[in-house]
Amino acid sequence: MSYKTNRPKGTNNANTFSKEEFFESDVIKKMAPAKRAILEQLINSSTGSLLDAFPLLLAAQSSLHSQGLSFTPEETAEITSFLTSRMSPDERKKMEILKRFGS
């Protein structure tokens, strides 16, 4: 799914995401119910801030792991794509560094 990166004029907070738009993705909709429930619980507790999102994603991965589950590469790519589509080029660069560090 391709995500919109343009914000309406007058929108000052570019470092936020729409929870509703996130859950519209076909990949997310097709996710196993147990995985989707964990992700929904964490995302719904989020403020919508990108700074908030990545720790929540790590918490979701940890919760899944404790149940013997994990995100598929496709699910991980979709989640990452959604979040990074809202980042500035500098933020994306930092994210790439963090991804390499975590690998």
Side-chain angles (χ1 to χ4, degrees):
M1 178 174 202
S2 177
Y3 297 103
K4 298 175 193 172
T5 57
N6 296 334
R7 299 236 169 241
K9 286 185 180 182
T11 301
N12 295 326
N13 195 356
N15 290 329
T16 61
F17 64 92
S18 163
K19 296 170 191 174
E20 293 79 19
E21 186 181 357
F22 177 77
F23 289 110
E24 289 175 6
S25 160
D26 288 338
V27 173
I28 303 301
K29 285 180 181 178
K30 293 176 186 175
M31 190 178 283
K35 292 194 283 185
R36 185 177 163 89
I38 290 169
L39 192 58
E40 284 179 353
Q41 179 183 8
L42 293 169
I43 293 292
N44 286 331
S45 70
S46 164
T47 62
S49 164
L50 288 174
L51 295 174
D52 201 18
F54 284 103
L56 289 173
L57 180 57
L58 293 174
Q61 288 176 322
S62 177
S63 183
L64 288 172
H65 182 71
S66 71
Q67 297 179 35
L69 300 170
S70 64
F71 291 121
T72 66
E74 182 183 32
E75 292 164 346
T76 300
E78 185 71 10
I79 294 165
T80 303
S81 173
F82 177 82
L83 295 174
T84 57
S85 71
R86 281 131 183 86
M87 293 179 173
S88 70
D90 285 343
E91 290 169 324
R92 280 195 290 273
K93 192 176 191 179
K94 289 176 188 175
M95 187 60 203
E96 287 302 315
I97 292 168
L98 289 172
K99 281 175 26 180
R100 278 185 254 143
F101 179 73
S103 301

